[in-house]
């Protein structure tokens, strides 16, 4: 049985590799990934929402556009996080006013509203603001998403006037985005009860998982641009836990990741068709996994086994 | 079961057990009460025969005023005091002259990250350059830069990083500050275990005489870009000659700040494997708190270590 699983896993790895090669273009969208920047700027639908002047702040000449090919020119050392989503391009405009902090507007065009939401969930610390579909403001920084766009507006320093400009700008951009987008469908499978506020995360790949929750230095779960993952923290009846739900393109791919998790993280022998029992780990907390079709439901760092069992059951019912 | 021959696999459980990154791993993902070495003697360079590194941490609450305005005089005073302590000299000039001679060509490698905005403060750079000049090095042989610093020309380097928790490398302090000395920075991100390799490049190796860390306003957030909510006025400067020890101390402080901010454990993620690797693989210094002599001077409130 073990050999069978190992063989399946090896075959799946090859299929996965081939899939990744085929998908190399998916996160580049549209054949050539080198942007015609002038064309992007001239046809950018949100351009008209951005004033040349606002409350004494004026736009610096030379709007900038960065694509997947040169995002590192803008943020060397963090571009990987955006490339881990289906990021299309970034539009940047800076506003300045004498004796006042500069304000930078960044508009990220994503390929889908799901990925706009995903980038938004990367950092959710701050106060909720009434802007776009969801927004968070913190000390001069406004982050929002609406439709396929993720928007980030930052004042170099927070002042009452700068905050006003940041919020006005955010409202103007959000109003110019014609339609709202959908949150990832997978998020609906997470139980609302016990979910800690602002703890929901959505992503695709290992690099994102490891910024939220370090599982391992290798891709145990075979995460890829094709996979969708949602993660949340739960607090219920005095116990806490992390819940990770991963959707794969097929049940076979989920099965292979299931086996890898059991053997490489739980350190148990994987026997197909035999359910894996939750395990108490070295820190006294519990971890467990269940496969349901093309989904893996994983609970980590559960203070109590009852919470782990409840989460696995609830998500199974919701899928 | 996991194949033991697969030495590249490291999971969260290895950190919890203390089987990965040693004391660092336990500090991030387990419970660690391992103390730093007590300050007994003056500093000497880290070496196999003297496996203890000295880190001088100094703080002054007046270094940052209203509106986060930096006070250059207070910064200068902190750096001078820390260098005196580190060198064991009572006078500022003698202290600096222990590290630099008039015929040196000195690179002052600071951090300037326009998109992240957690720079080395200009007051820190100016204070260092001033003292190097006073040590007899002429202006034309002092290169205070981030990118483009002509490291090959330099006979001595001063590593002057800012402090930030980093989305890809865990933390960015003195080890990551030299990433500009390579033409392929992304090669040293995620994983970042090979960051220490840069210190062994022929044009870099053996040139770092001092590390002066700008700990005035560190960053402890998840990134990838700055959230001002995750920056705080620590009002500190750190001096050492061991990049591994410096990064270890900064890691502990940032981890403590994160836990304080959330009111619960909020492990830095991904774990900064570059620190442990720089210790064990590249032998650049020590990440073992028991081998780090931490000297704390000045303002003690909320020191976090």
């Amino acid at each position: 049985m073990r050999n069978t699983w190992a063989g399946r896993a090896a075959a799946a790895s090859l299929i996965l590799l081939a899939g990744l090669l085929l998908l190399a273009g998916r996160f580049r969208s549209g054949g050539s990934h080198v942007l015609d920047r002038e064309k992007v700027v001239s046809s950018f639908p949100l351009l008209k929402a951005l004033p040349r002047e606002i409350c004494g702040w004026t736009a610096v000449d030379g709007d900038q556009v960065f694509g997947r090919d040169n995002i590192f020119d803008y943020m060397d050392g963090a571009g990987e996080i955006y490339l881990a989503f289906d990021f299309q391009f970034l539009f940047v405009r800076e506003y300045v006013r004498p004796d006042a902090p500069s304000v930078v507007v960044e508009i990220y065009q994503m390929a889908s509203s799901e990925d706009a939401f995903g980038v938004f969930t990367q950092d959710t610390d701050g106060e909720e603001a009434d802007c776009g579909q969801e927004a968070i403001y913190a000390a001069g920084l406004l982050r929002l998403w609406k439709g396929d766009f993720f928007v980030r507006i930052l004042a170099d320093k927070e002042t009452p006037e700068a905050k006003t400009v940041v919020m006005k700008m955010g409202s103007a951009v959000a109003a110019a985005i014609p339609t709202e987008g959908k949150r990832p469908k997978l998020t609906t499978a997470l139980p609302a009860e016990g979910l800690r506020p602002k703890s929901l995360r959505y992503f695709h790949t290992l690099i994102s998982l490891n910024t939220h929750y370090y599982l391992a230095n290798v891709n145990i779960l075979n995460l890829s641009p094709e996979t969708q993952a949602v993660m949340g923290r739960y607090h219920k009846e005095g116990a806490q836990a992390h819940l990770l739900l991963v959707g794969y393109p097929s049940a076979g791919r989920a099965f292979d990741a299931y086996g890898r998790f059991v053997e490489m993280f739980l350190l148990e022998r994987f026997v197909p068709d035999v359910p894996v029992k939750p395990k108490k780990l070295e820190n006294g907390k519990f971890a467990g996994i269940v496969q349901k079709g093309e989904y893996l439901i994983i609970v980590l760092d559960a203070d109590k086994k009852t919470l782990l069992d409840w989460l696995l059951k609830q998500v199974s019912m919701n899928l | 079961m996991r194949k033991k021959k697969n030495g590249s696999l490291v999971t969260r459980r290895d950190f919890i057990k203390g089987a990965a990154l040693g004391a660092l791993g336990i500090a991030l993902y387990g419970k660690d009460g391992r103390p730093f070495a007590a300050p007994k003697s003056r500093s000497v360079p880290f070496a196999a025969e003297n496996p203890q590194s000295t880190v001088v941490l100094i703080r002054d609450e007046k270094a940052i005023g209203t509106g986060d305005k930096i006070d250059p005089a207070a910064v200068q005073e902190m750096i001078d005091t820390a260098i005196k302590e580190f060198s064991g000299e009572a006078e500022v000039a003698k202290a600096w002259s222990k590290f630099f001679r008039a015929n040196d060509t000195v690179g002052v490698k600071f951090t300037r990250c326009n998109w992240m905005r957690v720079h080395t403060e200009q007051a820190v750079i100016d204070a260092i350059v001033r003292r190097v000049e006073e040590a007899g090095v002429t202006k034309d042989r002092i290169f205070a830069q981030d990118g483009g610093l002509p490291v090959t020309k330099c006979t001595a380097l001063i590593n002057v990083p800012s402090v930030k928790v980093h989305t890809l490398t865990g933390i960015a302090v003195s080890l990551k500050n030299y990433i500009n000395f390579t033409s392929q920075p992304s090669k040293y991100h995620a994983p970042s275990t090979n960051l220490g390799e840069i210190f062994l490049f022929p044009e870099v190796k053996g040139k770092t005489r001092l590390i002066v860390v700008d700990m005035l306003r560190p960053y402890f957030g998840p990134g990838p870009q700055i959230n001002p909510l995750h920056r705080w006025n620590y009002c500190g400067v750190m001096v050492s000659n061991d990049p591994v020890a410096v990064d270890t101390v900064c890691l502990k402080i940032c981890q403590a700040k994160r836990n304080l901010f959330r009111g619960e454990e909020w492990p830095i993620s991904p774990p900064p494997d570059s620190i442990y690797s720089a210790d064990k693989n590249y032998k650049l210094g020590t990440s073992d708190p028991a081998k780090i002599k931490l000297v704390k001077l000045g303002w003690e409130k909320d020191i976090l270590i």
Side-chain angles (χ1 to χ4, degrees), chain A residues 82 125 152 210 217 265 282, chain B residues 8 10 13 225-226 230 269:
Chain A
Y82 288 95
D125 281 336
R152 196 173 170 278
N210 277 351
N217 65 337
F265 189 78
E282 293 78 8
Chain B
S8 64
V10 178
R13 295 183 67 182
Q225 290 149 292
I226 192 167
H230 297 140
S269 191

Side-chain angles (χ1 to χ4, degrees), chain B residues 21-179:
Chain B
L21 304 200
L24 289 176
I26 299 171
L28 294 172
Y29 295 90
K31 300 287 185 189
D32 181 36
R34 194 165 193 180
F36 286 88
K40 289 175 186 168
S41 58
R42 295 291 184 191
S43 64
V44 284
F46 181 84
E49 63 273 18
N50 177 48
Q52 189 179 65
S53 290
T54 297
V55 173
V56 178
L57 169 63
I58 185 167
R59 297 171 70 226
D60 180 355
E61 62 179 317
K62 293 174 186 162
I64 303 175
T66 312
D68 300 328
K69 194 173 179 190
I70 308 294
D71 179 346
V75 169
Q76 183 78 70
E77 179 65 29
M78 277 201 295
I79 291 175
D80 287 347
T81 305
I83 296 284
K84 282 192 290 183
E85 176 67 30
F86 185 70
S87 66
E89 295 290 344
E91 293 174 23
V92 173
K94 277 190 178 176
W96 282 91
S97 66
K98 275 188 102 166
F99 302 102
F100 305 100
R101 301 193 185 287
N103 61 355
D104 271 323
T105 297
V106 181
V108 179
K109 172 63 181 71
F110 57 76
T111 305
R112 178 129 309 159
C113 187
N114 287 328
W115 61 271
M116 186 65 188
R117 295 164 186 241
V118 184
H119 310 306
T120 306
E121 293 290 347
Q122 193 59 43
V124 174
I125 300 165
D126 291 346
I128 292 167
V129 169
R130 184 176 300 117
R131 294 298 183 239
V132 174
E133 279 182 40
E134 288 171 2
V137 182
T138 53
K139 276 185 182 176
D140 61 325
R141 283 190 290 110
I142 301 173
F143 298 95
Q145 284 175 245
D146 180 10
L149 191 148
V151 65
T152 310
K153 279 186 185 176
C154 296
T155 58
L157 292 171
I158 310 178
N159 190 337
V160 193
S162 56
V163 178
K164 58 176 180 278
V165 169
H166 191 277
T167 310
L168 300 172
T169 64
I171 197 163
V173 194
S174 66
L175 289 167
K176 187 165 182 301
N177 190 35
Y178 278 5
I179 202 167

